Amino acid sequence: MAMQAQLTYRLGSFGFLLGKLIRLLFFFAFIMAVFSHVSTVAGYTLVETALFFLTFNVVDMTAQIFFRGVYGARRTVTEGDFDFYLVQPCSPLFRMVCSSVDFLDIITLLPVLVMVGMVFARLPPLSWTRYAAYGLLSVNGVALVFSVHVLVAALAVRTQELENAIWIYRDVMFMGKFPVDVYARPVRWALTFGVPIAVMTTFPAKALLGVLSPAWTAYAFALTAVALALSGWFWRDSVARYTSSSS
Amino acid sequence: MKKYLVAYSIALQETLQRRSTLLMDRLGGFAIVVSLYSFWNALLGDKPSFLGYTRSEMLTYVLLINVLRSFVFTGRGWQLVGEISSGRISSYLVRPISYHGYSLALDMAQKTVHAVSAFLEVALLAWLISGGIFLPRDPATWALFAAAAVLSSLVFFFLEMLVSSLAFWTSESGGPLFCFELFLQFAAGAFFPLDVLPEGIQRLLSATPFPYMVFFPARIFLDKVPHPEALRLLAVELAWLAAVVFAALGLWRQGVQSYAAEGG
Amino acid sequence: MAPAIETKGLTKDYRSPVKEPGLWGGIRSLVNRRYKDIRAVNDVSLRIEEGELVGFLGANGAGKTTTLKMLSGLLTPTAGEALALGHVPWRREAAFQKKLSLVMGQRSQLWWELPAYETFRLNQAIYGIAEADFKMHLDELVDLLDLGEHLSVPVKKLSLGERMRAELAAALLHGPRLLLLDEPTIGLDVVMQKKVREFVKAYNQRHGATIMLTSHNMTDVVALCKRVIVIERGRILYDGALDRLVESYADHKILRVRFSTPVTASDLRTLGSVVHCEGESATLEVPRANVSASAAALLRSYPVADLNVEEVAIDDIVRRLFSHS
């Protein structure tokens, strides 16, 4: 049914799709253009930088595709839809976060995956453990993003105000487009321990390139585990304190 | 005329009321500035300059992006799309007020607040970051820059209105508007100086109004454009403005004519 | 004297895209859009004098709102002419707009984060209301609508009823001579509905403004309008006094009786058609001419505890009107 609704959007859907593809291509063209003038940036070559950028996109887009529901979280609560979610026999968290999946967005993921493949092809042969690490850390990244979304959803339920928080996350995520090494040390620390964008997007690529130590890898998984637990707890707590907003 | 001033003043009041939204917007912009600057910094590495931009010029360019984005890239396009699709626009059409004038007044209020904030942020950043920023010595440069910035914000405003007017004919105009805004940001040089792109593409873009919005004003500020040339650019931008205003108002008129005034 | 509103042969056509059902239909419509033409308003001619309070009745989609929109200048008709307060509405002349007010149900013109008073000031500037007139109108509206302390509080903090009243005030600050109200009481509770009705009536009487309102709510119409225009599928079915509508389309009246002892239906059938008879109460439909005779017969021959003579409900009349057309 969601697909049907999407088809009736016609021009609109293609427009947004096109926009996202444009953004992807332009940034890629930008990276290529930059590297036509220099050979490395912060010690990374074109292929490596492309890998960072594409990994960011894989994680970010996957999250966007599945967790879009949070962007309308405040409205869901203030308009009373959330009350329905609580009463119906389906996880309200799932409904809140995952219910506005845009299937056409999956189409935007395809070119990204193709480009990732192309980048893999240009890397020197690597052991399968590296690729496994890449895959695992990417999934880890998506899980971490998920916990951020859960946090925001919980805030929306709790205070019925802070939907803006998710937009900050979007803007800060912008910083993940580049490998974290480009940032000055304090910023890098903030992005690794504060808002862990680095863990989400840079770590998988670093693991693939073999520059991520086991300690950091362990940190990544541990962080996600803790984040999921905390955000889950926060969600349950917020739902318990929930006061319905319908007049 | 008074009605637009009143609209401006109450819009100003309202923007200041929504403090948390304002804060979020500015923080977001700040994150972008930090990433862009860091990337360029890393790019420069030990080199004294890149594509003709020294370190301080590069930093200044990034800060200018922040300032220019804050008041050129606001607009009322999304509001227009929303008001057409919800039917709210009817209430403007039955009252003796020009929608464009009213929207512009509201947009000016947004621009005022954002511009002030951007200046403060930039001042703070410039003070914090070593290497200093580039400041033109000639007051004429400042004047030319200001004129370019004002023209740019008006061009953007009316371009958005033009694209958003599509909402009169299709309920799915959000897509084109989104595409347009995205494309515009790249083509205007709002992420990176257009010098990075190949010659051919640069030439192509100069035939459009887009580079005039960020790239040219920034270059004027950085004294990379001799004053006579700058005046010529301003004249071209003025011509673009006239063309865009004409197109936007024309399309609007057509749209209102065919408007089915849905919702009832 | 020139009428407030005069229209001749007003017609409005729409093209509406046909949505085909199902997923396959959705894909097909992606490629090949089909449209159907709808005549929303068909040859409407009417004349309304200044100061009249007219009700516009009709089912959803009958064309009432479209007609109202044409009269306000929002829509340009496909054919026909109209003059409102001496202007052609769809030319949208400023002079016309300053005398007009269009109020449509849920639409809000109040700025959410600011007190309603600020929106009033904006309207003052838009309509060019002199300071003295502004104060006078404001005081009157605040008084009539009981807005007192609600004006200095941000609109988002007001209750729905307070907001609606503030909306009405905002719409009338400029003292319009022509007021077009589209479903003014929709979504309001009974108390608020009554307040809005009383306000509309008071405004009409005090200012002699011409008021046209559409409503599904018969209580509104009965309370406010002496004249009604019934529209169905774009055509005017009836245009005249409300009482005459009742009389001409309801050829009978309703007798509701309560007896002190149970009565059977068969006994009552001689007096009129029995709609309902159970235990001690009964409802009869009696032709108009026979009402007094039947009532007298009831009182004479049966142990009547209570007897009411009623007109047929307007809703029923209107429903019957539609089914006849």
Side-chain angles (χ1 to χ4, degrees), chain C residues 109-252:
Chain C
Q109 57 163 302
L110 298 173
W111 287 57
W112 194 246
E113 306 268 343
L114 299 175
Y117 187 72
E118 300 295 332
T119 310
F120 292 174
R121 279 286 178 195
L122 178 61
N123 274 353
Q124 177 191 12
I126 292 177
Y127 287 102
I129 311 173
E131 188 68 23
D133 290 332
F134 176 72
K135 280 209 167 25
M136 187 174 72
H137 287 158
L138 184 61
D139 290 339
E140 178 190 6
L141 288 166
V142 164
D143 183 43
L144 271 177
L145 289 164
D146 194 20
L147 283 174
E149 321 87 51
H150 304 314
L151 290 185
S152 44
V153 170
V155 169
K156 63 180 178 182
K157 297 220 161 84
L158 296 176
S159 74
L160 181 63
E162 290 158 0
R163 234 181 297 147
M164 284 289 326
R165 282 181 275 148
E167 291 283 351
L168 275 174
L172 297 172
L173 268 173
H174 57 290
R177 279 170 51 203
L178 174 61
L179 197 50
L180 301 173
L181 302 171
D182 191 37
E183 305 280 357
T185 58
I186 202 167
L188 297 178
D189 62 57
V190 175
V191 174
M192 270 310 304
Q193 286 181 18
K194 187 154 185 286
K195 282 210 178 142
V196 169
R197 272 200 295 273
E198 283 166 0
F199 170 75
V200 171
K201 195 172 204 116
Y203 194 84
N204 172 244
Q205 282 167 349
R206 273 205 214 187
H207 294 268
T210 313
I211 303 184
M212 262 190 97
L213 68 91
T214 70
S215 188
H216 279 133
N217 189 340
M218 287 305 165
T219 332
D220 288 347
V221 177
V222 170
L224 294 173
C225 312
K226 288 208 192 62
R227 171 176 169 195
V228 295
I229 301 177
V230 181
I231 190 168
E232 160 80 349
R233 268 184 278 213
R235 285 189 179 283
I236 295 188
L237 275 186
Y238 177 83
D239 177 0
L242 183 57
D243 334 349
R244 229 174 22 92
L245 173 69
V246 176
E247 277 173 26
S248 29
Y249 284 88
D251 50 6
H252 57 267

Side-chain angles (χ1 to χ4, degrees), chain A residues 54-130:
Chain A
L54 290 171
T55 310
F56 163 82
N57 275 296
V58 168
V59 174
D60 186 48
M61 286 176 136
T62 311
Q64 281 299 290
I65 290 172
F66 290 104
F67 308 146
R68 247 178 39 151
V70 181
Y71 290 85
R74 188 175 75 92
R75 216 176 330 130
T76 307
V77 172
T78 55
E79 288 179 5
D81 286 345
F82 188 63
D83 294 349
F84 283 122
Y85 295 173
L86 285 174
V87 170
Q88 287 168 349
C90 182
S91 157
L93 180 61
F94 177 75
R95 299 276 302 261
M96 178 82 116
V97 173
C98 304
S99 62
S100 67
V101 176
D102 187 346
F103 289 99
L104 288 180
D105 271 343
I106 298 186
I107 297 184
T108 55
L109 201 51
L110 292 175
V112 178
L113 293 172
V114 165
M115 287 200 263
V116 170
M118 281 165 49
V119 168
F120 281 179
R122 273 173 233 275
L123 291 172
L126 299 165
S127 72
W128 69 271
T129 50
R130 297 271 198 92

Side-chain angles (χ1 to χ4, degrees), chain B:
Chain B
M1 197 26 68
K2 177 169 181 218
K3 45 190 150 180
Y4 303 111
L5 288 173
V6 175
Y8 173 77
S9 99
I10 75 172
L12 206 57
Q13 279 184 55
E14 205 207 21
T15 311
L16 293 171
Q17 280 277 21
R18 289 137 113 255
R19 275 183 289 261
S20 65
T21 315
L22 187 62
L23 191 63
M24 304 297 177
D25 280 343
R26 299 317 304 164
L27 276 180
F30 191 74
I32 296 183
V33 173
V34 172
S35 5
L36 287 175
Y37 172 66
S38 306
F39 184 75
W40 287 114
N41 207 22
L43 194 65
L44 268 169
D46 300 317
K47 295 191 278 288
S49 77
F50 176 69
L51 290 177
Y53 293 93
T54 66
R55 177 169 260 113
S56 72
E57 285 176 341
M58 199 36 97
L59 170 61
T60 312
Y61 189 93
V62 172
L63 293 181
L64 281 172
I65 290 180
N66 192 37
V67 168
L68 286 169
R69 276 166 149 270
S70 75
F71 67 81
V72 172
F73 290 150
T74 67
R76 304 278 304 173
W78 290 105
Q79 282 83 347
L80 176 57
V81 169
E83 289 184 331
I84 292 177
S85 66
S86 69
R88 280 196 53 173
I89 199 158
S90 311
S91 70
Y92 299 103
L93 298 175
V94 288
R95 295 198 284 167
I97 188 167
S98 148
Y99 186 82
H100 283 102
Y102 182 74
S103 277
L104 192 57
L106 262 50
D107 192 41
M108 284 295 158
Q110 277 271 80
K111 287 191 197 307
T112 310
V113 177
H114 282 267
V116 169
S117 176
F119 271 113
L120 291 173
E121 293 158 23
V122 160
L124 182 68
L125 276 172
W127 179 66
L128 283 176
I129 295 180
S130 58
I133 60 170
F134 176 96
L135 286 175
R137 262 179 278 263
D138 190 348
T141 310
W142 285 90
L144 285 169
F145 172 72
V150 168
L151 281 178
S152 303
S153 36
L154 289 172
V155 172
F156 179 80
F157 177 81
F158 283 101
L159 266 179
E160 272 233 316
M161 282 294 164
L162 181 63
V163 176
S164 305
S165 296
L166 286 177
F168 279 123
W169 286 276
T170 162
S171 58
E172 303 115 9
S173 59
L177 185 59
F178 179 67
C179 265
F180 166 75
E181 284 183 342
L182 220 47
F183 177 78
L184 183 76
Q185 298 212 354
F186 283 102
F191 283 124
F192 47 86
L194 297 178
D195 310 84
V196 163
L197 298 171
E199 267 284 338
I201 302 202
Q202 282 193 58
R203 247 191 312 227
L204 202 68
L205 285 177
S206 334
T208 68
F210 305 137
Y212 290 86
M213 295 204 212
V214 176
F215 187 55
F216 289 157
R219 280 177 66 83
I220 290 177
F221 190 84
L222 291 172
D223 264 337
K224 290 192 184 294
V225 180
H227 290 179
E229 172 70 6
L231 281 171
R232 189 190 73 83
L233 286 176
L234 282 179
V236 175
E237 193 169 15
L238 199 59
W240 272 116
L241 180 62
V244 170
V245 170
F246 184 72
L249 292 178
L251 195 65
W252 168 267
R253 254 193 298 273
Q254 288 284 58
V256 171
Q257 288 278 41
S258 79
Y259 179 48
E262 291 173 42

